[in-house]
Amino acid sequence: MIIIRKFVGAIILFFNWVFTPRGIKREEKSQIQIDKKTSKLKLYQFNACPFCVKVRRSMKRMSLNIETRDAKNNEKYRQELQENGGRVKVPCLRIEDNEGKHTWMYESNDIIEYLSKLQSSN
Ligand SMILES: N[C@@H](CCC(=O)N[C@@H](CS)C(=O)NCC(=O)O)C(=O)O
């Protein structure tokens, strides 16, 4: 079972690499502004999870530079997700507000919608 999962994961990563989407090009000032906004976001994810790949591809298309945190291999990030998000399910976007309070957003479609709104409001 583990071998099959690893094999499927490798195929997903391979196709993701071959068909890497192009990112949109913004004016420098505008990219700096959006980078400032996205510095408050962290994406907890697994490398070969198809839902995580979908979110990462959307980030790439929108040219959003968001730190990704490997919740599979990094025990610290896994624990953070479990303890603060409530469960180890990925992808999960940690959103920090101006007071430093964190909201944990699960569901790839919700994350993509949130990011689309964030970049279009820039
Ligand atoms: N509907 C979710 C599905 C996410 C999902 O199933 N992720 C898997 C990894 S590929 C996971 O974290 N499974 C662990 C669990 O559900 O507890 C989404 O679109 O984000």
Side-chain angles (χ1 to χ4, degrees):
M1 193 62 192
I2 291 175
I3 292 174
I4 294 173
R5 220 181 295 153
K6 281 204 184 289
F7 179 68
V8 172
I11 289 178
I12 290 170
L13 289 177
F14 175 72
F15 279 100
N16 179 42
W17 175 72
V18 173
F19 300 106
T20 303
R22 274 170 191 264
I24 59 162
K25 200 97 186 92
R26 297 188 177 85
E27 279 181 27
E28 198 185 332
K29 204 174 128 207
S30 179
Q31 186 63 48
I32 290 171
Q33 268 178 0
I34 197 129
D35 284 347
K36 200 170 164 215
K37 279 191 194 174
T38 54
S39 68
K40 299 271 186 189
L41 306 175
K42 312 287 172 211
L43 184 76
Y44 288 71
Q45 51 108 43
F46 297 167
N47 233 356
C49 153
F51 303 98
C52 302
V53 170
K54 185 173 80 172
V55 172
R56 294 203 306 268
R57 290 175 70 82
S58 292
M59 281 161 42
K60 179 82 173 62
R61 261 185 227 106
M62 295 186 260
S63 299
L64 300 178
N65 299 309
I66 297 171
E67 183 185 321
T68 56
R69 294 186 163 178
D70 184 346
K72 194 177 191 78
N73 301 305
N74 187 314
E75 194 48 43
K76 178 175 168 268
Y77 292 151
R78 193 180 180 86
Q79 254 182 33
E80 276 177 13
L81 182 58
Q82 172 73 66
E83 285 167 17
N84 305 306
R87 64 185 289 196
V88 180
K89 184 180 175 196
V90 289
C92 181
L93 185 70
R94 194 191 79 178
I95 306 163
E96 186 178 314
D97 70 14
N98 292 335
E99 280 80 49
K101 194 173 155 275
H102 295 151
T103 304
W104 298 77
M105 181 184 280
Y106 289 94
E107 288 304 317
S108 52
N109 287 342
D110 293 348
I111 295 171
I112 292 169
E113 193 185 331
Y114 174 83
L115 295 177
S116 304
K117 284 186 182 153
L118 183 103
Q119 65 121 28
S120 61
S121 72
N122 200 42

